[in-house]
Structure formats: structure tokens, C-alpha cells
Amino acid sequence: MKKIINDPSAVVDEMIKGMVFAYDGLVERLPETNVVHRKHSKNGKVGLVSGGGSGHEPAHAGFVGQGMLSAAVCGEVFTSPTPDQILEAIKASDEGNGVFMVIKNYSGDIMNFEMAKDLADMEDIPVDFVVVDDDIAVEDSTYTAGKRGIAGTVLVHKILGAAAEEGASLSEIKELADKLVPAIKSIGVALSPATNPEVGKPGFEIGDDEIEFGVGIHGEPGYRREKLQPSKDLAAELVKQLKKEFQWSGDEQYALLINGMGATPLMEQFVFTNDVRELLAAEGITLVFKKVGDYMTSIDMAGVSITLLKLEDEKWVDYLTAPVNTISW
Amino acid sequence: MKKIINDPSAVVDEMIKGMVFAYDGLVERLPETNVVHRKHSKNGKVGLVSGGGSGHEPAHAGFVGQGMLSAAVCGEVFTSPTPDQILEAIKASDEGNGVFMVIKNYSGDIMNFEMAKDLADMEDIPVDFVVVDDDIAVEDSTYTAGKRGIAGTVLVHKILGAAAEEGASLSEIKELADKLVPAIKSIGVALSPATNPEVGKPGFEIGDDEIEFGVGIHGEPGYRREKLQPSKDLAAELVKQLKKEFQWSGDEQYALLINGMGATPLMEQFVFTNDVRELLAAEGITLVFKKVGDYMTSIDMAGVSITLLKLEDEKWVDYLTAPVNTISW
Amino acid sequence: MLSVETVTKWMELFGEQLTENKTYLSELDTAIGDGDHGNNLARGAAALKEKLGANEYEALTDLLKDVGMVFVSKIGGASGPLYGSAFISMAKASKDNDSLELADLLAAGLDGIQKRGKAEAGEKTMVDEWVPVVEAVKNNSLTTETIEEAVEKTKDMKATKGRASYLGDRSIGHLDPGAMSSSLLFKTMLEAGVYDGK
Amino acid sequence: MLSVETVTKWMELFGEQLTENKTYLSELDTAIGDGDHGNNLARGAAALKEKLGANEYEALTDLLKDVGMVFVSKIGGASGPLYGSAFISMAKASKDNDSLELADLLAAGLDGIQKRGKAEAGEKTMVDEWVPVVEAVKNNSLTTETIEEAVEKTKDMKATKGRASYLGDRSIGHLDPGAMSSSLLFKTMLEAGVYDGK
Ligand SMILES: Nc1ncnc2c1ncn2[C@@H]1O[C@H](COP(=O)(O)OP(=O)(O)O)[C@@H](O)[C@H]1O
Ligand SMILES: Nc1ncnc2c1ncn2[C@@H]1O[C@H](COP(=O)(O)OP(=O)(O)O)[C@@H](O)[C@H]1O
Ligand SMILES: [Mg+2]
Ligand SMILES: [Mg+2]
Ligand SMILES: [Mg+2]
Ligand SMILES: [Mg+2]
């Protein structure tokens, strides 16, 4: 394992220290927690809390700030944060009108966030939540834990954050979230595994000439392994899967997020974006909003994912483009 | 070579296509060139042009936009762009009050940009320039091509861009640049080499347990190879070199840029930042401005660099924090 | 015998086993999960040791509740809320109940896990370790073999809950990490003399 | 003989050699530079081929100028402006000069390189190939050996100009890529019959 770290078990703590130092104008760490909280003054908006295992930087702390998340709870690497930490985030984010939680669909995340909600109930803080499950690489059946939450979650942060900033109530945000989440679908391809510093070796093995479609952001196996192929073929396979899910007719409007997994340079992300552009143009899809870069990574995994959000409401584009003050949006 | 690309010799073209598609609200490509130009309307400001070999993304096109660069010229991977392309950038960036070029100190860059200036002279466009040489890993002697320009260049873009936006004249920008550049020093460490897609194999070899201090952004050899060591030891060596160069007394004010080389996750960059924080605090250095992330990369190299800018003028902090509208600042 | 002393001993031994098997448990989790199960539980074990070292317990309920709280707040992931819920549920069952049997206590623990995680037997989770053990304790027939056989059986199961469920058929042939860590729980239970049966 | 025909032939052969030696030149550049010299020149060669194929030249000046412009606008890096300046400088020297000698032409090229790159002989650059060749043409003594020996000599030199200068002493023991590509230039010059000497 070749990493710029000190003690592998102290990575999350030191990372948070470095982050809140570098961006001390924007964020702060709640004392004795791994919660990163925005600094801007409270003004009665609904609080927006997210989080999950660390290793997905800039998610989630990089999206803390005015117009986006109120707080992010950083779990250990690839490990859902605990309810007590989530509770602290909820308490700090409550401005008197309740707190909304954005949870990614993993058994651990759901259980921990739900327990935190129970604790918040006891403190009379109204809490509601949505579970993001945008990863179409996984089947949503009674035989799985359901589709995973991946890069599309960042679009949920942005849109709900803008709505909260605009003054939406907890129930309005819940309603928006329930409409939004089913409209988001993502799928990715990995070229190399991630190495969790505490584990010290790669999460899976893959040949020098192989790629795997549908790998999860914790390195969970994907749906198919193939030989390395040109960017446009990778893009074609992923777009094909998205088309199958969306069943688009042609003249629909979408938002697009091309997301790097951590070790894939922007050079490759933009080459890939160009291929996605051609494929979607051929499908007659109009892309009203676009973004490319590292948003929801998997430590040092090489790979990319495509997220499409079907724009069923014009307001969503306004929310996507509304100004924010965060480290990484 | 495991990369998300199509034809290796078409990487730059396809990358630019992907970028201007994704950020079509911000930038455009000048027809039949590899020049990325900002879209905002001309209003008589001094134009700011930079560029260099590709492979350093988001540099330089990611910094094109209001308040920063007017245009960036993208050379082939690791290859300075040619004078005709630079001339196009100059012509498109001239708003009637001349164009200032930010050149990194490489023989090729200097020769090509100087030739472009000669061509611009013939078209009566006033052009001036500064050569950034912030990399203290290289000795500045008659026996070398001098110190290289690396991540500190991005701070030059930001500060000169803000001055231009404020309405500074070409000669005022030249004066500012000549004062600014000597106040910037950078140094980095690499854990792994970059692979130029056109070459198809890594630029150098390095053991699984080795790191190299002072590697250049084209993979030029550094000043010392050592065994892999904790982040704080890497930080200590680099800060030691910076201290030797700046000869700081203690109560001085600096701006800090921690820069990832392309394949180093933010997680590690922030851990490293925390170590740099401790070391500089122990030196009594005040850091007035801080930034962490991938700004001047070397394709898929793993590593980080530290850039310090000695804040000799209060105005420089205002310039650093002035709002911009770019893809990546 | 079910007492503050034996349960304290149990928890000490369980913590030791988790620390010792940290790498092994994470390796099992690397195969069909995300490789952190051992690290998660080792973190819980370290916090548990500290907690037990700093407190003297009079009532079993308080001890069990503290164990549950430590697990909930230090382990994280899926296993944290599950082990935490098991012990908090056991703490509740033991409250004001002097004649509590071990079988009932463990049944309460299993109930806590299932309320939290919604898994049934056969879904390749820690539930597949708990169900046969609770049954055996009820029948007064628990042995090391019961415990080990239960883990072994998870090998042939296809996961339909938790992270391993993403693998579908490819989860078959691997031991479930959570079932393995629960087997350590029950082995140390025998070792600590909590169980009086046969 | 110095003529539009022989120089056209020369440029065709040079282009072929550059394309053929693309990988080798980049490998030399990987050792002490950034690995792109072969790719840079191959790009120039491709553009040159297109240019020559699309044009009929009457005057040597026009031919040389076009070669220079192609090199300047297609190669990039350090070698683009250097080769470009060499040919533009040669074009200037040949302008309105019917009695031009090859030695003077090449001297003008070398002058262009040195004005642009400020390198002297002994700094481990293409200049170390040009200087002995220009000298030998003047003395009417140019042979393949002269050309090859000049490249060989760069091996023992320490680079003090260009990217290789960052290596200091570690640049010793490697051939200079630019000197190597210039050796191809001069070998194809012999082959094309541009040189009439011995
Ligand atoms: N819904 C569930 N019910 C019971 N046990 C579960 C459930 N989901 C996961 N588990 C158990 O948790 C174990 C994984 O724990 P751990 O690796 O710590 O968490 P995570 O999967 O979040 O990384 C699995 O091996 C399984 O035994
Ligand atoms: N100042 C200079 N004068 C003469 N030749 C030079 C100079 N700098 C570099 N060169 C030549 O250029 C060659 C490298 O060219 P190339 O690899 O194409 O450019 P870059 O170094 O920009 O990547 C070197 O081998 C050397 O011969
Ligand atoms: Mg986990
Ligand atoms: Mg180069
Ligand atoms: Mg796990
Ligand atoms: Mg080179």
C-alpha cells in the first residue's frame, strides 16, 4: 500500500483536521465528533444532513456550506457513521424547523441514520429523510439489499440544499426528495480497485487488461468483467443500461454528472464525457445541466460513473444552478 | 497502459471537446485550434493567456473564465503548444488593451510563447509576459534551464486574473507579476510516475516502497529517492526545503496551496495538509489563504506538492479571494 | 451461570477474540463485502475494554446496556447497529427480571437483531449463527460444534441481505463475516461459563 | 547538389526516418526528458508529408520556409521552435542567393537554432550534432561517421540546456534525443544527394 498517510486508523481524524484547517472560512468540526458543519449563521432554514463511510471525498464534507448540506457525518473508511455522531449533526443543523437526512441505500447507513432519527425524536427535533438508490448496476429485488446510493446523491444534496436555502419546509423537502430520487440513475465502470488504508490491500483483484462494469463505491463486485476497451465502448455499455432503465422516448431533458472514482485524471474524464455526449446526442436527449469531476469517489479507485437526472420539473434546473458556498461543488 | 481513452493521439482533441461541451456556459473552443477561450463579453480588460503541454488538468483550461484566464492554449500531452495556436489565443483575448502571457519556465514553452509574441507584434497587439519558476527542486544556475514552473502558476493566474478584472493596465500587470513570481515557491514528492498516453508506458520506474522528492510535472527526475515514509515525514522534508529558500523569520504571512498530482485522493491530500499545518504552525507562519486539491497535475501521477506565496502585499489576498467563474478554481 | 461476573468475563474474552481475529474477519468481508468487518469490531472491542475497565457493574442490565451502547457508538457499518441492538434488547429483557434464563436473554438479543436488520434465517447473515444457537440453548444442547456448524452452513447460502447480496450467486462458497464474528461471541460465552447446559 | 529536387527528396527521407524512429526517439527522451521527442517529430513528419504532397515548389526559399512553418506549427515542445527556426533561417539565407553553398545554408540553420535556444556546443543538445556537421561540410569532409560520432559524443556530456539539464550529472551516459533526430536529418541529407562533397 503506497499512500500519503500516517497511522491508517487515524486517517479520518487527520483528514478532517486538514480539511477544516484549509477551509476554516467555510466549515468547522463539531467538538469531539467526526461531523463537519457549515459556518454560516442560522436563519431558520431546514437543516440538511448527510454522510456515510469516509473514502468518497469530496463527498460528503466537501458539499457542506450555504446552499447545500448543513453538516456531513464522516464515518470510518467505508463504514457507516454511528447514530450518536449523526445525532450531533442533527442537533447542530437544526435551526428550529427540523432536519432532513439524505441517506444512501446501504443496510448500515439506513440502520444508523434511523437510530439517529429515533434519538432526535426523543429530543423533539423533527427529522425526515430520503434514501437514495441510484445505482442501476444492482437489481432492486427482494433478493438484494436494493440498489445502492452512489454519485447521484450529490445531485440530491444540491437540489434539496437549494430548496432548503430558498426556505422550503421539512415536508416540502420530503415531497421534493420523494419525487427527485426515482428520477436519478447512475452506473459506473472500474479499472482498478480501491485500497482501504486500514485493510492495507486492494478490495478486489483485476487483470491489467480488464475492466468491470457496475462496481460499487465500496468496491462491491459489478455485473460484468470484460477486456479493456476504448472509452467510447465503455460509454456505450453504460448508456445502454441507462436507456433500458429510463426507457426514454427521445425528446426528454436530463442533467448529466460524469463522476471520477478518485484516481482517474480529468483528462480521461473529459475524453469519456465527449463519448457520452455523442451517444446521448444520437439518442436525441437534451442535456440542460452538466458537470464533470470527482464528486463521489472510492478512495483511489480508477473509473468513472454516469449519472442522469430526468428533469421532470423546471425548478430542478434552477436548484442545480443556484449559487453555493462549499469546498467542492 | 490502462486508461479511459480512444486513440492516444486524439486525447487532447477529445478532451477539449468533452470539456467545452460540459461547460458550454463558461468556455468555448476557438475554431480549428486547441485554444479554450472564456465566453464572457469583452469589456476592454487586459487579456490573460496561459497554456502549456496538456496532462496537467485542470490546468490550464480549467482556470479560464471571468476573473482568471481569458484563454488557455492546450499543447499535445507534455508538449508546449505552438506559436500559431498561442497567437490565436492572444488575438481572441485582446480586448483592445493588450494581452499578458503567463509562461512556465521550460525551454519549449518560452521559445513558443516568445515566437507568438513576435507574431502578435506584427499584428500590433501589445503583449507582455512573465515566466513562472516556482519549483525549488531544481537549482537555478547557469548549468540548468532554471527552476521549473509548477503549481504556483495557478496562484499567478488567479492574482493577475483578478487584477485584470479590476482593470489593471498591461504595464501594471507586468509590474505586479514581476513582484509576485519571486514570492512563490513550490516543491513536491511523487509516489508513482505518469503515463503519457502517446508513449504508453510510465515515464520512470520506482519501487513499490519508494518515493521521490522533487519530481517535475513532466516526470523529470527529482533530487532524492527514499523509502516510503509517513505523510508527516514527507511534509517535514518539503517544508524544510521551503524554509531554506524563503529564510523566513517567523512572523510572516503566506498563502498555501496543497496540490494533488492527479491520482492522489483528496483523503491523502487532507491528511498531508494536516501535517503541513502542524509544521508551519510550529514555525510561526501565518497562513492567510489556503487551498487543497488537484490544480496542476501530471496525468495519473500519485503525489503532492506544496506551494507557498509570501504575502508581500495585502492586495494579493484580495486578489486570491476575489470571485471567479471558472471550471476548477 | 448468568451473572454480572460471568458476563463481564464473557465480554472480556469476546473483545480479545475480536482483536485477535481482526484481519481474518476483514478478509472474509473483503471476499463478499467491503473488507471492514474486522476493523469495525476491533474498534468496538477496544472501546469495550476501556468501558469495562472504568466501571464496576452491580446489575446485569447496566452492564448489557453499556455493552450495547459501546457497540452502537463505536462499530458503525451494518454490524454496529445490529450488535448494539442485540445487547440493548438483552438489557431490556434483563431489567427487573431476576429469574431470567440465558435462552430468553439470547432470544431477546436475536429479536433485537431481526427488528433492526429485518433478516430471516437463511439470508447469509449473523442471524444464521444466532438462530441455531438460541435454539440449542433452549434445548440445553449447545456445544462448540453447534456454533461452528452454523458458521459453516452460511458458506452454501446465497446472500439476500447486507452488502453480500449484491453478489447474488457469487456469494455462495464464502463464509459470512458477521456469522463468524457471532460464532466468536458464542464460543467465548461457553468459555466464560455463562452457559450451564449439558 | 543543392536544388529544389534534392531538398524535396531530403525532406521526404527525413520525414520517413522520423516516423520510423518515433518510438526510439521517445525512448531516448524518456531517459533524460519527458518522452515525447519522437511523437513530436512524427507529428511534424506527417504534416510535412501532407504539405509537400500538396505543393510544387519552384524556389528553394519557399520550400525551406514551408518546412520551417510546418515544424514550428506542428511539433511544439522545445524541438519545434528549434527545427522551425533552423529552416526559416535557412529560407532567409537562400533568398535571392543563387550561388548559395550548402555550408552557408547549414550555418544559417545552426545560427537559427542558437539564436532561438541559446545553447553552445557541449551542452548536450542538437547543437552538438549541428556544429561538427556544419564544420565538416565547410571542410568538404562530411561522412556518415562524422554524423554518428557527433551523436555518440553527446553520451558523455552533461546537459546544461533543455529538460535534461534538470538531471545534472545523471544526464551523463545517455544520448541526446535532439542530437539523434538531427543525425537522421544529416544522414538523409547525404542519402538525398544534397551534399556533393567527398
Ligand atoms: N440486515 C442484516 N441483518 C443481519 N445481519 C446483517 C444484515 N446486514 C448485514 N449483516 C451482517 O453484517 C455483516 C457485515 O458487517 P460490516 O462489514 O461491519 O458492515 P458493512 O456491511 O456495513 O461494511 C455481514 O457479514 C452480516 O452478517
Ligand atoms: N536550448 C536548446 N538549444 C538547443 N537544443 C535544445 C534546447 N533545449 C532542448 N533542445 C533539444 O530538444 C530536444 C528535446 O526536444 P523535445 O523532447 O521535442 O522537447 P521538450 O523537451 O520540450 O519535451 C533535446 O534533446 C535537445 O536536443
Ligand atoms: Mg462497511
Ligand atoms: Mg515535452
Ligand atoms: Mg463490511
Ligand atoms: Mg521531450
Side-chain angles (χ1 to χ4, degrees):
Chain A
M1 178 176 58
K2 210 170 189 182
K3 285 184 189 290
I4 304 176
I5 57 169
N6 298 297
D7 174 5
S9 70
V11 158
V12 175
D13 177 57
E14 294 180 12
M15 169 181 83
I16 296 173
K17 277 190 189 136
M19 178 184 266
V20 300
F21 155 73
Y23 295 95
D24 52 4
L26 279 178
V27 294
E28 65 193 357
R29 181 181 194 164
L30 298 183
E32 280 165 74
T33 72
N34 286 345
V35 176
V36 175
H37 185 258
R38 69 183 172 196
K39 267 190 161 168
H40 96 280
S41 54
K42 303 193 168 196
N43 49 13
K45 306 280 164 69
V46 169
L48 196 63
V49 167
S50 191
S54 289
H56 308 302
E57 293 69 30
H60 302 81
F63 305 118
V64 170
Q66 191 165 7
M68 224 164 152
L69 298 180
S70 310
V73 197
C74 308
E76 293 298 320
V77 179
F78 284 0
T79 301
S80 319
T82 57
D84 53 314
Q85 300 263 324
I86 303 168
L87 177 65
E88 291 306 317
I90 291 172
K91 280 163 39 178
S93 302
D94 181 33
E95 304 184 8
N97 287 301
V99 171
F100 194 80
M101 309 191 299
V102 180
I103 309 174
K104 295 195 298 310
N105 190 32
Y106 297 96
S107 312
D109 287 55
I110 292 175
M111 291 190 271
N112 284 290
F113 276 85
E114 276 183 351
M115 287 177 89
K117 175 175 159 40
D118 292 345
L119 297 171
D121 283 349
M122 294 198 287
E123 306 209 11
D124 293 322
I125 304 175
V127 171
D128 210 336
F129 66 90
V130 73
V131 176
V132 184
D133 61 344
D134 54 324
D135 188 358
I136 61 166
V138 175
E139 257 182 272
D140 191 10
S141 76
T142 47
Y143 304 110
T144 68
K147 292 186 289 143
R148 295 175 293 232
I150 55 172
T153 312
V154 179
L155 300 182
V156 178
H157 295 160
K158 180 65 181 74
I159 290 175
L160 300 189
E165 183 65 26
E166 211 184 65
S169 70
L170 189 56
S171 63
E172 284 165 350
I173 290 178
K174 171 68 178 162
E175 202 183 318
L176 170 59
D178 285 344
K179 206 178 150 199
L180 180 64
V181 166
I184 304 178
K185 300 188 195 304
S186 304
I187 189 158
V189 58
L191 277 67
S192 77
T195 298
N196 180 335
E198 276 213 81
V199 176
K201 48 188 180 203
F204 57 87
E205 274 169 33
I206 185 162
D208 271 352
D209 58 344
E210 288 177 325
I211 55 96
E212 188 166 318
F213 292 112
V215 170
I217 57 171
H218 282 196
E220 303 96 334
Y223 64 87
R224 200 164 69 233
R225 196 169 272 211
E226 288 187 3
K227 289 287 165 204
L228 182 63
Q229 48 203 267
S231 169
K232 54 170 148 281
D233 296 337
L234 299 176
E237 164 64 19
L238 300 182
V239 167
K240 190 182 86 185
Q241 299 294 341
L242 287 162
K243 181 179 183 178
K244 206 159 79 187
E245 289 288 321
F246 276 114
Q247 306 260 350
W248 56 58
S249 63
D251 43 25
E252 289 165 15
Q253 301 208 320
Y254 286 83
L256 168 72
L257 173 68
I258 304 278
N259 173 63
M261 301 308 296
T264 289
L266 269 182
M267 172 187 270
E268 294 173 42
Q269 293 183 40
F270 281 124
V271 167
F272 180 77
T273 299
N274 184 49
D275 294 317
V276 173
R277 172 186 71 78
E278 285 187 4
L279 289 160
L280 292 179
E283 292 285 332
I285 297 295
T286 309
L287 295 164
V288 180
F289 176 89
K290 292 151 276 178
K291 217 165 163 70
V292 179
D294 285 9
Y295 292 91
M296 179 72 74
T297 64
S298 184
I299 315 182
D300 52 354
M301 182 184 285
V304 282
S305 66
I306 311 179
T307 297
L308 283 174
L309 157 60
K310 187 173 173 186
L311 293 165
E312 293 164 359
D313 191 326
E314 277 181 23
K315 198 86 187 78
W316 295 359
V317 180
D318 300 338
Y319 286 147
L320 282 170
T321 53
V324 288
N325 199 4
T326 65
I327 300 172
S328 306
W329 173 255
Chain B
M1 177 177 58
K2 210 171 190 181
K3 285 185 190 288
I4 305 176
I5 57 169
N6 298 298
D7 173 5
S9 70
V11 158
V12 175
D13 177 57
E14 294 182 10
M15 169 181 82
I16 296 173
K17 277 190 188 137
M19 177 184 265
V20 301
F21 156 73
Y23 295 95
D24 51 4
L26 279 178
V27 294
E28 65 193 357
R29 181 183 195 162
L30 298 184
E32 279 165 76
T33 71
N34 286 344
V35 176
V36 175
H37 184 258
R38 68 183 173 196
K39 265 191 162 169
H40 95 282
S41 54
K42 302 193 168 196
N43 49 14
K45 305 282 165 68
V46 169
L48 197 62
V49 167
S50 191
S54 289
H56 308 303
E57 294 68 32
H60 303 84
F63 305 118
V64 169
Q66 190 164 8
M68 225 161 152
L69 298 180
S70 310
V73 197
C74 307
E76 292 298 321
V77 179
F78 284 1
T79 301
S80 318
T82 56
D84 53 315
Q85 300 265 322
I86 302 168
L87 177 65
E88 292 306 318
I90 290 171
K91 281 167 31 182
S93 302
D94 181 33
E95 304 183 8
N97 287 299
V99 172
F100 194 81
M101 309 191 298
V102 180
I103 310 172
K104 297 196 297 311
N105 189 33
Y106 297 96
S107 312
D109 287 56
I110 291 175
M111 290 189 275
N112 284 291
F113 276 85
E114 275 183 351
M115 287 177 90
K117 177 176 157 38
D118 291 347
L119 298 171
D121 283 350
M122 295 197 287
E123 307 211 7
D124 292 323
I125 303 174
V127 171
D128 210 337
F129 65 90
V130 72
V131 176
V132 184
D133 61 344
D134 55 322
D135 188 357
I136 61 167
V138 175
E139 256 182 271
D140 191 9
S141 76
T142 45
Y143 303 111
T144 69
K147 293 186 287 141
R148 297 175 292 233
I150 55 171
T153 311
V154 179
L155 300 182
V156 178
H157 295 161
K158 181 65 180 73
I159 290 174
L160 300 189
E165 183 65 25
E166 213 185 63
S169 70
L170 188 57
S171 63
E172 284 164 348
I173 291 177
K174 171 66 178 163
E175 202 183 319
L176 170 58
D178 285 343
K179 209 179 147 196
L180 179 64
V181 166
I184 304 178
K185 298 184 195 308
S186 304
I187 188 159
V189 59
L191 277 67
S192 77
T195 298
N196 180 336
E198 275 214 81
V199 177
K201 48 191 179 201
F204 57 88
E205 274 170 32
I206 185 163
D208 272 351
D209 59 344
E210 288 178 325
I211 55 97
E212 188 166 318
F213 291 112
V215 171
I217 57 172
H218 282 196
E220 303 97 333
Y223 63 88
R224 200 163 69 233
R225 196 169 272 211
E226 289 188 3
K227 289 286 165 201
L228 182 62
Q229 49 203 265
S231 169
K232 53 170 149 283
D233 297 337
L234 299 176
E237 164 63 18
L238 299 183
V239 168
K240 191 183 85 185
Q241 299 293 343
L242 286 163
K243 181 179 181 176
K244 206 159 80 186
E245 288 289 321
F246 276 113
Q247 305 260 353
W248 56 59
S249 63
D251 42 25
E252 289 167 13
Q253 300 207 321
Y254 286 83
L256 169 72
L257 173 68
I258 304 277
N259 173 62
M261 301 309 296
T264 288
L266 269 182
M267 172 187 269
E268 294 173 43
Q269 293 184 39
F270 281 124
V271 166
F272 179 77
T273 299
N274 183 48
D275 293 318
V276 172
R277 173 187 70 79
E278 285 186 5
L279 289 159
L280 292 178
E283 292 285 332
I285 297 295
T286 309
L287 294 164
V288 180
F289 176 89
K290 292 151 276 177
K291 217 165 165 69
V292 180
D294 284 9
Y295 292 91
M296 178 73 73
T297 63
S298 183
I299 316 182
D300 53 354
M301 182 185 284
V304 282
S305 66
I306 311 178
T307 297
L308 283 174
L309 157 61
K310 187 170 173 188
L311 293 164
E312 291 164 2
D313 192 325
E314 277 180 23
K315 199 85 189 76
W316 295 359
V317 180
D318 300 338
Y319 286 148
L320 282 170
T321 54
V324 288
N325 199 5
T326 65
I327 301 172
S328 305
W329 172 254
Chain C
M1 204 189 62
L2 192 57
S3 72
V4 169
E5 289 69 40
T6 55
V7 173
T8 305
K9 181 82 199 152
W10 177 18
M11 289 301 106
E12 283 167 6
L13 293 172
F14 180 43
E16 283 167 21
Q17 281 301 306
L18 291 178
T19 311
E20 220 161 88
N21 289 282
K22 168 175 146 168
T23 310
Y24 175 56
L25 291 171
S26 281
E27 268 167 16
L28 291 181
D29 195 33
T30 297
I32 56 170
D34 58 354
D36 60 354
H37 190 57
N39 298 293
N40 293 346
L41 292 182
R43 208 167 39 242
L48 183 61
K49 192 173 170 185
E50 213 177 288
K51 190 82 185 179
L52 296 181
N55 289 277
E56 287 276 339
Y57 294 94
E58 303 220 326
L60 192 56
T61 307
D62 296 339
L63 170 56
L64 291 167
K65 192 184 150 206
D66 270 13
V67 172
M69 290 308 291
V70 164
F71 284 171
V72 164
S73 65
K74 293 296 168 189
I75 296 177
S79 52
L82 292 167
Y83 277 116
S85 296
F87 279 86
I88 291 169
S89 189
M90 291 196 269
K92 278 186 194 157
S94 71
K95 197 167 180 189
D96 307 320
N97 186 347
D98 288 343
S99 62
L100 184 74
E101 302 264 340
L102 180 62
D104 297 331
L105 187 77
L106 296 181
L110 173 57
D111 189 53
I113 291 173
Q114 292 191 291
K115 283 230 170 74
R116 182 61 59 203
K118 315 267 181 331
E120 300 297 326
E123 301 205 84
K124 197 178 183 114
T125 70
M126 58 174 70
V127 168
D128 295 304
E129 179 65 34
W130 282 72
V131 167
V133 166
V134 168
E135 190 64 24
V137 171
K138 211 174 277 167
N139 301 338
N140 229 2
S141 66
L142 183 68
T143 60
T144 310
E145 288 69 51
T146 325
I147 296 168
E148 287 177 350
E149 270 169 26
V151 197
E152 275 306 318
K153 277 192 183 149
T154 64
K155 198 164 188 169
D156 294 335
M157 294 178 184
K158 174 172 158 180
T160 53
K161 278 281 182 316
R163 212 172 286 277
S165 70
Y166 304 135
L167 275 80
D169 287 337
R170 285 172 294 169
S171 66
I172 297 170
H174 298 275
L175 297 171
D176 175 61
M180 181 58 80
S181 59
S182 286
S183 80
L184 301 175
L185 177 70
F186 295 124
K187 280 191 194 171
T188 53
M189 182 181 81
L190 294 185
E191 227 183 299
V194 178
Y195 176 63
D196 317 292
K198 137 154 152 157
Chain D
M1 202 189 63
L2 193 56
S3 71
V4 168
E5 290 67 40
T6 56
V7 173
T8 304
K9 180 86 199 149
W10 177 17
M11 288 302 106
E12 282 167 6
L13 293 172
F14 182 41
E16 282 168 21
Q17 282 301 305
L18 291 178
T19 310
E20 220 162 90
N21 289 283
K22 169 174 147 168
T23 309
Y24 175 56
L25 291 171
S26 281
E27 267 167 17
L28 292 180
D29 195 34
T30 297
I32 55 170
D34 57 354
D36 60 353
H37 189 57
N39 298 294
N40 293 346
L41 292 183
R43 208 167 37 245
L48 183 60
K49 192 173 172 184
E50 214 177 290
K51 190 83 186 176
L52 296 181
N55 289 278
E56 287 276 341
Y57 294 94
E58 304 221 325
L60 192 56
T61 308
D62 297 338
L63 170 57
L64 292 167
K65 192 183 150 207
D66 270 13
V67 173
M69 290 309 290
V70 164
F71 284 170
V72 163
S73 65
K74 292 296 169 190
I75 297 178
S79 52
L82 291 168
Y83 277 115
S85 296
F87 279 86
I88 291 170
S89 189
M90 290 196 270
K92 278 186 195 159
S94 70
K95 196 165 179 189
D96 306 321
N97 185 347
D98 288 342
S99 62
L100 185 74
E101 302 266 340
L102 181 62
D104 296 330
L105 187 77
L106 295 180
L110 172 57
D111 189 52
I113 292 174
Q114 291 191 291
K115 282 231 170 74
R116 182 60 61 202
K118 316 265 180 330
E120 300 296 326
E123 301 205 80
K124 198 180 183 111
T125 71
M126 57 174 70
V127 168
D128 295 305
E129 179 64 33
W130 281 72
V131 168
V133 166
V134 169
E135 190 63 26
V137 172
K138 210 175 280 169
N139 301 337
N140 229 2
S141 66
L142 183 69
T143 61
T144 309
E145 288 70 49
T146 325
I147 296 168
E148 287 177 351
E149 269 170 27
V151 196
E152 276 306 317
K153 277 194 183 148
T154 65
K155 198 165 189 167
D156 294 336
M157 294 179 186
K158 175 173 157 180
T160 52
K161 277 284 181 315
R163 213 173 284 278
S165 70
Y166 304 136
L167 275 82
D169 287 338
R170 286 172 294 168
S171 66
I172 297 170
H174 298 276
L175 297 171
D176 176 60
M180 180 57 80
S181 59
S182 286
S183 80
L184 301 176
L185 176 70
F186 295 124
K187 280 191 194 171
T188 51
M189 181 180 80
L190 293 186
E191 228 181 301
V194 178
Y195 176 62
D196 318 290
K198 108 158 166 165

